[in-house]
Amino acid sequence: MLEKMGSLTNNSTRIEGSDAPEDEISRSASDDTLNGDEHNEREQVESASIALPAHVAGSGTLDRLIDTARGYAEASTAENTNKAYAADWKHFTRWCRLKGTDPLPPSPEMVGLYMADLAASTGKTPALSVSTIERRLSGLSWNYSQRGFTLDRKDRHIATFLAGIKRKHARPPVQKEAILPEDIQAMVATLPYDLRGLRDRAILLIGYAGGLRRSEIVSLDVHKDDTPDSGGWVEIMEQGALLTLNAKTGWREVEVGRGSSDQTCPVNALEKWLHFAKIDFGPVFVRTSRDGKRALETRLSDKHVARLIKATVLKSGVRSDLPEAKRLAMFSGHSLRAGLASSAEVDERYVQKQLGHASAEMTRRYQRRRDRFRVNLTKAAGL
């Protein structure tokens, strides 16, 4: 079922704050994944940007340090960001070839024309959103900097074009539907109690109660430093579970308390999964064998979380008043975070801390049901 849902998933390759879908990001590019040529190109860029000065003689020790430095440079941006930036450069260089020009050195005039082309629909190709065009511009700036050039985003040929595009085409960001308490309860009720069902139940409940991104869910390890690709670890206590996450904004701790019912308690669901899957080291959420009786060592992809949400939304009948295609488009991994933000009846600052937001304004974007007129400044002003 989940594999079938994968083809219907509207996943996002995004930077935080952007909800642009993959087909919009790619536009005329075939996809946003790195092929062999793009991997080689990225390696060449890193090799050129991190090297010994010409006057320094190489040695085994220095060569190893260079390799280490390149590894740190690659880790400076998230994997999805790296893929998106590589796709941005590939698309721009192909556009330049079609226009009979060269992408190097950077030309603000050509970048401005490129942005104007992205903002205009041509034939069956729709115009890109403003947020996606800005993301493309960030990708070009990053790629130019890695090649030793600077793209001046304040140049009038770029800044003026972008301001005009924003004024003419800007629209409110598309927000995914929040999963409410009754929704998440109905969703987990559709899952069986075999090994795969125990795992998926723990994923949904921990993701919901922790207000986690889907990448944060699947990056968890049982202990600190269990695996090189760990994004955090879990510590189960009497009162709940403490998640230590290496998030986008740095390290943070997320407290997931025990629930009032064993059926919907995220900590209880996590304990059951770890116990029956016999996991005491490495990734918390892993794949299972075809018969669903054994836990494997391979860490789950974050796309599994998106497919799981969509599959259980359909199966549980959440928003069954709408056509299936619209229901699939309404819910995604961010629906878990929006659900917690919208449903937790506590002071806003606690929700902000749980979600790891730098500002209260960002938290409010996730609160789909907040009482907007709790403070009435009109009456307070005497009117």
Side-chain angles (χ1 to χ4, degrees):
M1 174 66 175
L2 296 184
E3 286 73 19
K4 183 178 179 181
M5 296 301 304
S7 62
L8 299 173
T9 303
N10 185 24
N11 295 323
S12 295
T13 301
R14 56 188 288 281
I15 295 176
E16 182 68 15
S18 168
D19 289 313
E22 278 187 3
D23 56 350
E24 190 180 47
I25 291 175
S26 301
R27 198 178 187 189
S28 60
S30 59
D31 58 271
D32 275 347
T33 57
L34 288 173
N35 58 30
D37 292 338
E38 288 170 317
H39 274 298
N40 293 336
E41 181 180 349
R42 178 176 176 81
E43 290 174 359
Q44 292 170 3
V45 170
E46 290 171 352
S47 298
S49 59
I50 302 176
L52 288 174
H55 65 278
V56 177
S59 67
T61 302
L62 289 175
D63 289 343
R64 285 192 295 272
L65 284 176
I66 290 175
D67 290 338
T68 301
R70 287 173 183 163
Y72 285 132
E74 185 175 359
S76 65
T77 49
E79 181 182 357
N80 282 347
T81 303
N82 292 335
K83 291 179 179 179
Y85 283 176
D88 293 339
W89 185 251
K90 180 181 178 182
H91 188 271
F92 177 64
T93 54
R94 180 166 48 188
W95 182 88
C96 287
R97 287 195 301 271
L98 292 174
K99 304 304 178 186
T101 186
D102 196 289
L104 295 173
S107 166
E109 294 86 348
M110 292 308 298
V111 172
L113 292 176
Y114 174 66
M115 292 163 51
D117 194 18
L118 296 179
S121 58
T122 54
K124 295 182 178 180
T125 304
L128 296 189
S129 68
V130 173
S131 61
T132 302
I133 293 174
E134 289 184 310
R135 210 294 315 286
R136 286 276 180 94
L137 184 58
S138 296
L140 295 185
S141 297
W142 183 90
N143 276 283
Y144 275 125
S145 67
Q146 298 306 301
R147 290 164 172 81
F149 297 96
T150 299
L151 178 63
D152 184 8
R153 297 180 59 161
K154 294 182 179 180
D155 184 281
R156 62 186 180 87
H157 296 95
I158 297 178
T160 304
F161 283 4
L162 185 59
I165 291 170
K166 286 182 177 180
R167 186 175 182 85
K168 188 172 183 179
H169 298 293
R171 58 182 185 270
V174 177
Q175 292 185 320
K176 296 299 180 181
E177 191 79 1
I179 293 175
L180 305 179
E182 57 270 23
D183 298 333
I184 194 70
Q185 293 174 21
M187 290 162 65
V188 298
T190 65
L191 297 171
Y193 283 88
D194 59 5
L195 200 58
R196 190 175 291 122
L198 292 176
R199 179 199 65 193
D200 290 344
R201 184 175 284 100
I203 287 175
L204 290 177
L205 292 175
I206 285 289
Y208 187 83
L212 305 180
R213 301 175 179 88
R214 64 188 194 185
S215 59
E216 293 173 340
I217 298 172
V218 300
S219 69
L220 287 170
D221 276 4
V222 179
H223 308 105
K224 181 181 179 181
D225 299 329
D226 274 359
T227 63
D229 61 339
S230 171
W233 64 92
V234 178
E235 185 179 356
I236 298 179
M237 307 174 180
E238 183 179 347
Q239 293 181 309
L242 179 65
L243 313 181
T244 304
L245 302 171
N246 187 7
K248 185 180 181 69
T249 55
W251 287 98
R252 66 187 179 97
E253 291 184 344
V254 173
E255 300 171 0
V256 178
R258 293 187 182 272
S260 55
S261 168
D262 284 348
Q263 300 300 315
T264 57
C265 173
V267 183
N268 181 62
L270 179 60
E271 289 176 318
K272 282 187 174 180
W273 157 246
L274 293 175
H275 172 74
F276 287 104
K278 300 178 181 179
I279 296 176
D280 56 10
F281 181 85
V284 170
F285 296 113
V286 296
R287 297 177 60 186
T288 59
S289 57
R290 287 185 178 273
D291 58 11
K293 295 181 179 180
R294 290 184 301 108
L296 306 178
E297 296 181 357
T298 308
R299 188 188 299 275
L300 278 178
S301 163
D302 65 340
K303 292 181 180 180
H304 174 83
V305 180
R307 291 195 295 263
L308 173 62
I309 290 171
K310 292 176 183 291
T312 51
V313 161
L314 289 184
K315 196 172 181 180
S316 63
V318 174
R319 295 305 308 268
S320 57
D321 56 309
L322 299 174
E324 182 175 299
K326 188 169 184 178
R327 292 165 67 198
L328 287 171
M330 288 171 62
F331 294 94
S332 73
H334 261 60
S335 296
L336 295 178
R337 286 166 64 78
L340 177 74
S342 302
S343 304
E345 300 293 339
V346 295
D347 192 291
E348 188 178 79
R349 68 179 185 273
Y350 296 112
V351 179
Q352 180 182 342
K353 179 178 181 294
Q354 189 82 341
L355 298 184
H357 287 152
S359 67
E361 180 60 33
M362 178 60 72
T363 302
R364 293 189 190 105
R365 295 182 190 179
Y366 284 76
Q367 294 174 317
R368 308 289 194 262
R369 295 195 313 174
R370 73 177 188 275
D371 185 357
R372 296 179 181 273
F373 297 98
R374 180 173 58 86
V375 177
N376 190 327
L377 292 181
T378 305
K379 289 183 179 179
L383 299 179

